[in-house]
Amino acid sequence: MKMSMVSLGCDKNTVDSEMMLGLMNEKGFEYTDVDEEAEVMIINTCGFIQSAKEESINAILEAAKLKEEGALKALIVTGCLAQRYKDEIIKEIPEVDALLGTSSFDKIVETVEDVLGGEVKNEFLDLDRLPSISNKRKNSTGGYYAYLKIAEGCNKNCTYCIIPSLRGNYRSYPLDDLINQAKDLTAQGIKELILVAQETTLYGVDLYGEKRLPKLLKELAKIEGIEWIRILYCYPEEITDELIEVIANEDKVCKYLDIPIQHASDKILRKMARRTSYNDLVNIIDKLRKNIPGITLRTTIISGFPGETEEDLETVIDFIKNMKFERLGVFTYSEEEGTVAAGFDNQIEEEEKEARRDRIMRVQQEISEQNLEKMVGKKFKVLIEGRLPEENVYIGRTYMDVPGVDGYVFVNTNRDFMSGDFCDVIITGSSEYDLIGDVL
């Protein structure tokens, strides 16, 4: 029986989708990317912010049409939107045959079989349940990288964020399970592991009583075939000296860290319930750069948080100018029902949020251009991911680049490479957010 999968939202959702694909594949379901051919369709939704909710709803409605026009017999909706709006989906979209909550994705096979057998059974297990990851995943990235989700949920309770009520409290996957999963991914040809969670820095605290991210990194680095290990969602206040030492000294761990700070004004950071101050952030960033030469730092900023003044905005801009992040993204504040921040006074109009976002990004664009210019003449190890047709130009990434988020390197060469190969490249120029180089 043919099945299709629509995976929306973040990379954590991607992992859940790959888990479900693996389970379904083991049961003999055949994957198709032609939706009209599918007899079973799974839509793994995002419900984090308004735009993501709209995208998820549209995907469900499009799939619902296939129950009349195509071969579709079972439409299953999973993920954050299903968890957050289960009652509304059941009432408004009767074409949906079953819903799975965020902690229930490993029940996908039983759910599909129930639906095909004529039984409607929605599955919403305890949010603090840890889904099984014992199955072999079916990697879907199409490249030589895979995301390794090391934990579920979050305990931070930032005032703007709905995630704890959708994903539960923080809980880590056992280290041995993650090592086995990484070995399975390596057997599929994966060369880069990207560690993700709502927060990676707290890995292991709930299971082992201490932060075990450094130990996990060391164990992953022992796996033959893994060349790069990258860490995302690393909360700045939880970065330890031990973690810094491992990043600095373990060759396979990329000198790259994603540290979402969200703001720099002490007033706004307090309103967000963040656990850092302006000075804390400066000290952490200085420490990282001092102890990890060549580190690339990525961060995110929220513009237009309730009560944000011109002074707060200028604080952020000055901070960015001083810190000179290699990578930075800005998101407009999204007022989400059920969050503390939704009840704050002085909500800011969407047009103004966007204007503030654009101001910040203009500053960052200049910094990015300067950073790219500094790369010229330097040598980097590049992972080849593809080739431009009819040209002697390959597309690749350095340790400084997260796939689909950061830039690429366009490599000029007359030599033949396969996707997944590594090569040494000298940077000769730049274009917007990308680098240009020649093979050494």
Side-chain angles (χ1 to χ4, degrees):
M1 181 173 282
K2 291 186 176 181
M3 64 155 291
S4 65
M5 168 77 74
V6 178
S7 187
L8 304 171
C10 66
D11 39 39
K12 280 85 72 180
N13 242 25
T14 298
V15 175
D16 295 349
S17 296
E18 293 176 353
M19 291 289 183
M20 290 188 280
L21 283 171
L23 285 168
M24 294 290 286
N25 185 62
E26 286 182 348
K27 273 293 183 177
F29 287 87
E30 177 187 352
Y31 177 76
T32 177
D33 57 6
V34 180
D35 291 343
E36 289 76 12
E37 295 179 354
E39 296 172 84
V40 175
M41 180 177 287
I42 302 164
I43 301 180
N44 194 10
T45 62
C46 179
F48 182 46
I49 58 176
Q50 184 61 35
S51 59
K53 289 186 285 187
E54 292 173 359
E55 182 184 26
S56 294
I57 291 168
N58 289 335
I60 297 170
L61 294 175
E62 285 297 314
K65 295 178 184 177
L66 295 176
K67 297 196 75 175
E68 296 181 3
E69 303 169 0
L72 193 60
K73 297 177 181 177
L75 174 56
I76 316 298
V77 176
T78 70
C80 288
L81 193 83
Q83 182 73 47
R84 189 174 184 183
Y85 296 110
K86 52 182 176 290
D87 294 336
E88 291 85 346
I89 294 173
I90 291 170
K91 179 181 178 181
E92 301 294 337
I93 315 178
E95 292 88 353
V96 174
D97 294 298
L99 300 171
L100 284 179
T102 54
S103 65
S104 312
F105 63 80
D106 56 339
K107 301 298 182 182
I108 186 64
V109 171
E110 298 95 314
T111 299
V112 169
E113 290 177 340
D114 286 344
V115 169
L116 293 174
E119 182 181 354
V120 176
K121 185 180 179 183
N122 299 316
E123 195 77 80
F124 289 91
L125 301 176
D126 189 331
L127 268 185
D128 288 334
R129 170 184 181 270
L130 196 63
S132 170
I133 61 169
S134 60
N135 63 293
K136 181 178 287 189
R137 282 168 55 185
K138 188 173 179 63
N139 189 52
S140 65
T141 62
Y144 287 83
Y145 66 92
Y147 300 104
L148 186 69
K149 184 164 64 167
I150 65 176
E152 300 280 358
C154 186
N155 296 340
K156 292 296 189 186
N157 293 304
C158 300
T159 59
Y160 53 82
C161 185
I162 196 69
I163 290 298
S165 65
L166 299 181
R167 292 276 177 177
N169 290 307
Y170 194 88
R171 56 233 193 260
S172 306
Y173 283 106
L175 192 146
D176 288 344
D177 289 353
L178 294 173
I179 297 302
N180 289 334
Q181 187 185 153
K183 289 178 179 178
D184 284 341
L185 289 167
T186 306
Q188 297 179 44
I190 295 306
K191 297 187 177 182
E192 177 182 4
L193 287 176
I194 304 174
L195 273 54
V196 298
Q198 296 302 328
E199 176 180 1
T200 54
T201 19
L202 280 181
Y203 173 74
V205 168
D206 54 313
L207 282 183
Y208 308 112
E210 63 181 7
K211 296 176 183 177
R212 287 283 181 92
L213 181 57
K215 179 175 177 57
L216 175 61
L217 291 170
K218 291 179 181 179
E219 293 300 315
L220 290 172
K222 296 176 183 178
I223 299 174
E224 187 175 351
I226 294 297
E227 297 283 342
W228 284 349
I229 303 166
R230 191 183 300 277
I231 313 166
L232 303 187
Y233 310 109
C234 195
Y235 275 51
E237 70 270 21
E238 305 292 353
I239 295 172
T240 63
D241 290 346
E242 183 184 12
L243 178 59
I244 292 173
E245 183 180 358
V246 171
I247 297 172
N249 296 319
E250 178 53 65
D251 289 341
K252 290 187 178 182
V253 177
C254 293
K255 287 18 177 193
Y256 180 110
L257 211 53
D258 169 54
I259 50 171
I261 63 171
Q262 312 304 13
H263 217 277
S265 160
D266 286 349
K267 183 191 79 177
I268 298 299
L269 287 167
R270 286 193 297 270
K271 290 188 70 175
M272 288 179 167
R274 301 291 291 185
R275 304 182 186 190
T276 50
S277 66
Y278 185 105
N279 288 334
D280 291 335
L281 294 172
V282 170
N283 291 336
I284 291 165
I285 292 164
D286 286 349
K287 189 174 188 179
L288 287 168
R289 289 198 165 129
K290 178 181 177 181
N291 290 280
I292 311 174
I295 190 170
T296 290
L297 295 179
R298 178 177 183 83
T299 195
T300 49
I301 300 289
I302 295 174
S303 69
F305 192 79
E308 182 188 66
T309 63
E310 179 66 23
E311 182 181 0
D312 297 320
L313 179 60
E314 287 297 332
T315 297
V316 170
I317 290 173
D318 287 343
F319 179 80
I320 292 169
K321 287 179 178 179
N322 290 331
M323 294 300 101
K324 292 181 169 38
F325 288 100
E326 286 78 14
R327 309 283 188 263
L328 183 143
V330 185
F331 301 91
T332 58
Y333 166 72
S334 178
E335 182 181 339
E336 293 299 312
E337 58 185 302
T339 62
V340 174
F344 286 166
D345 294 332
N346 300 316
Q347 298 284 335
I348 296 171
E349 293 294 328
E350 192 64 33
E351 185 177 352
E352 178 60 23
K353 295 179 200 174
E354 293 173 359
R356 296 182 184 190
R357 175 199 62 198
D358 294 344
R359 282 178 60 185
I360 297 172
M361 286 308 300
R362 282 194 293 272
V363 172
Q364 179 59 31
Q365 187 171 5
E366 292 183 11
I367 294 170
S368 296
E369 289 173 355
Q370 293 167 8
N371 286 334
L372 286 174
E373 289 172 2
K374 292 177 183 178
M375 299 297 105
V376 175
K378 294 185 178 180
K379 184 179 79 171
F380 293 97
K381 179 181 177 181
V382 170
L383 172 60
I384 298 297
E385 293 194 319
R387 184 174 183 272
L388 294 180
E390 301 179 359
E391 295 184 42
N392 294 323
V393 177
Y394 289 86
I395 302 172
R397 293 184 291 110
T398 71
Y399 78 89
M400 302 181 291
D401 306 304
V402 171
V405 176
D406 299 323
Y408 291 94
V409 182
F410 292 89
V411 182
N412 299 298
T413 181
N414 289 318
R415 294 165 56 185
D416 291 328
F417 288 100
M418 298 290 291
S419 293
D421 287 345
F422 284 91
C423 62
D424 290 328
V425 173
I426 184 80
I427 302 303
T428 58
S430 62
S431 174
E432 295 186 5
Y433 294 104
D434 301 315
L435 293 170
I436 301 167
D438 296 331
V439 172
L440 290 174

